[in-house]
Amino acid sequence: MTTTPLPLLHARDLPTTGGQLWSATAAVHALTAEQESAATEPEYVRLRRLLAPDRFEPAPPRETPSLENAFSEHDAFFGVARSHGPAEVFLRTLLVAEIDTALDLARTSSSLGPTERSRLVGGGSALLSHARHPGGGDLVRSPDVRAASPPDERTARLRWACGHRLFFAHLQAVTVTAACAAEAADAAEQAAFLDHTVLFCENAALAMRHAADFAPELYARSVRPTMTPPGVGSGFSGLQTRDHYYLVRSLEALRTRVLPAPVAAAAYDRLADALERLYGAHVHVCRHFGGDAGGSLRMEAGEEDSGTTGAERARQYAAMRVRRVRGTKRAA
């Protein structure tokens, strides 16, 4: 569905400490220090060319064959290549995904409001503008959408792919900032990282809504058929999302390492609320595309019990994940 793969770092190469993350932001800050913020198509293209890794080392398989095959099929469908490299690749590809989304917003009309569009493409800039690199402003800004055309079959497919790529990049940012929070030296630092985690949960929810921001009939006619054999294996599913698999593991590690201080506990509670909104966005997409009346592709392929609807299954799954996050959260 896309021609140029987005080289997202393999999750095991992502930064896991504040020091690693700030080294990555420093490298990207140095790379973009002389750049104007992007708000028009030529500016987007110039900035994308600067940020996109021109060479990257493919990441070798890291999981069992059955899991790796499922992850790889999902990556390939959405135009993602898993790379091995320095931590700055994480931030560079996040910004590239945001630029691609800005270009998509300029091309195809959106139901998101101005503030939502700005947040959708502003997460990478938020990291770059952290206290270590103040005054950077928004490197990627929401475009002028007045000339955007309504989605059609071609642009709906492009939006589905582009929105998912941004969603994956945001999930990586949740994983990174949650891991940094788990390793924080004190409660104030932990709360600061958790606030970034909340931001990226909310941005990921927006990315999911953006990916599905077109008419249900376009999905039924032009998108859903591409996610069935022979294009992909039977039962193609969001459960094949590699970045969500690692996000869950990162959050489970964080859960028992929240420091015993009110500021950290309050930040963790905000994270649990943000995760509920993130999973709620997935339920919204299921319902928008008819999931209240039928099953998911996985259920229709017989790989899950089909005694319920796709939207209800998504709600059950969301509730289970949020319950786990809201469980025991104090370090021993």
Side-chain angles (χ1 to χ4, degrees), residues 38-48 99 102-103 141-143:
T40 67
E41 184 169 355
E43 291 165 348
Y44 295 138
V45 172
R46 282 195 296 271
L47 184 59
R48 192 189 195 285
I99 291 168
L103 287 165
R141 293 190 286 129
S142 179

Side-chain angles (χ1 to χ4, degrees), residues 64-196:
T64 62
S66 60
L67 200 55
E68 188 63 43
N69 288 342
F71 288 160
S72 296
E73 179 181 63
H74 199 263
D75 284 346
F77 178 83
F78 288 108
V80 168
R82 295 294 163 172
S83 63
H84 169 70
E88 70 181 71
V89 173
F90 150 69
L91 186 51
R92 290 173 68 172
T93 52
L94 169 61
L95 288 162
V96 167
E98 290 177 346
I99 291 168
D100 289 346
T101 301
L103 287 165
D104 180 70
L105 287 167
R107 176 180 58 233
T108 307
S109 60
S110 170
S111 67
L112 298 179
T115 299
E116 292 173 318
R117 293 194 301 269
S118 293
R119 287 172 51 200
L120 182 66
V121 299
S125 297
L127 282 180
L128 282 174
S129 298
H130 189 272
R132 300 232 178 167
H133 310 296
D138 292 335
L139 192 61
V140 183
R141 293 190 286 129
S142 179
D144 184 345
V145 299
R146 288 175 294 183
S149 302
D152 56 24
E153 291 193 11
R154 183 185 70 86
T155 55
R157 289 193 300 271
L158 288 172
R159 174 157 288 183
W160 186 246
C162 175
H164 274 82
R165 283 156 54 124
L166 181 60
F167 176 67
F168 303 152
H170 284 157
L171 293 186
Q172 285 203 340
V174 173
T175 297
V176 166
T177 54
C180 292
E183 298 295 329
D186 56 52
E189 182 183 24
Q190 185 170 78
F193 279 121
L194 286 173
D195 283 343
H196 279 298

